[in-house]
Amino acid sequence: MADLFKNVKYVAAVRSEADIDACVASKAKIVFLLSGTLLSVPGYVKKLKAGGKTVFIHLDLMEGLSSSKYSVDYLHTMTEADGVISIKQNVLKYAKSIGMMTILRTFLLDSLSIATIEKINKDDTIDVLEVLPGIALTIIPEVVARTRKVIIGGGLIHTEALAQQILAAGAQAISTSDVSLWNKNGNS
């Protein structure tokens, strides 16, 4: 999984249908699809894959799908998605068992959150850890350094300066819905 993010520092977080075309036209190689419906997701993924993108679907944010193994089966069967994003580890465990890549989205709120990150370090069913808000990674560099997972900082990242701070703290990449950042260095 680390190879996937080797030359990618900016991940396109697509929040609306209107951003699909901008994403396809961008230099972003990896996409987090953060919106859609049971009916629209297959078409969105098809368009993104035709544009050469690696696509992860945030299962918890899809209308008409639940955070269940049946929804994972649906995405695996009805789309060409490369992986699943969720806040639910049991869903990711199932996705991993059927060959999908997995991203656990976690919110860094307190010291318990840090303990959770360290526990996740031992879980082979989680490929990538997305931490929100991404800026929180800048205050726990020792935890980031100890983490064996690929770490992505996400949420509230709207400037290149902030993205660079998060990357300097040890994140392998950042995810952003800010279209202006999708063509930045590292995605070429």
Side-chain angles (χ1 to χ4, degrees):
M1 181 60 79
D3 288 347
L4 183 62
F5 290 91
K6 186 175 182 179
N7 296 314
V8 174
K9 299 298 178 200
Y10 295 84
V11 174
V14 174
R15 293 194 163 280
S16 70
E17 181 177 7
D19 290 336
I20 298 280
D21 289 333
C23 183
V24 169
S26 77
K27 292 180 182 177
K29 294 186 180 299
I30 300 173
V31 179
F32 291 177
L33 187 57
L34 304 180
S35 69
T37 68
L38 176 71
L39 298 176
S40 65
V41 168
Y44 293 169
V45 173
K46 185 175 185 173
K47 194 170 198 176
L48 291 164
K49 294 295 288 181
K53 311 301 182 187
T54 299
V55 181
F56 291 86
I57 298 173
H58 195 314
L59 181 61
D60 309 329
L61 301 178
M62 296 299 121
E63 300 258 348
L65 294 173
S66 64
S67 296
S68 71
K69 73 176 208 164
Y70 302 108
S71 293
V72 172
D73 283 334
Y74 173 81
L75 294 176
H76 187 61
T77 304
M78 302 303 290
T79 76
E80 300 170 44
D82 299 284
V84 175
I85 304 167
S86 181
I87 62 169
K88 300 187 176 170
Q89 289 179 317
N90 62 325
V91 170
L92 296 175
K93 182 176 183 176
Y94 180 72
K96 186 71 172 180
S97 77
I98 63 171
M100 297 184 86
M101 292 184 279
T102 60
I103 299 176
L104 177 66
R105 180 177 260 197
T106 187
F107 299 88
L108 199 58
L109 304 172
D110 54 24
S111 57
L112 184 59
S113 303
I114 294 170
T116 300
I117 289 173
E118 292 178 343
K119 189 169 112 180
I120 291 165
N121 218 3
K122 300 172 187 163
D123 187 346
D124 291 335
T125 62
I126 307 299
D127 294 315
V128 174
L129 185 61
E130 184 185 26
V131 176
L132 283 82
I135 191 66
L137 293 171
T138 64
I139 59 173
I140 57 160
E142 69 286 348
V143 175
V144 174
R146 286 193 311 263
T147 304
R148 295 186 324 258
K149 304 286 181 195
V150 170
I151 295 182
I152 297 172
L156 307 174
I157 304 169
H158 294 289
T159 67
E160 188 171 5
L162 181 55
Q164 290 304 317
Q165 276 184 286
I166 295 165
L167 293 168
Q172 282 80 6
I174 62 102
S175 66
T176 181
S177 58
D178 190 320
V179 178
S180 69
L181 295 175
W182 293 351
N183 288 315
K184 294 296 178 186
N185 189 16
N187 277 330
S188 54

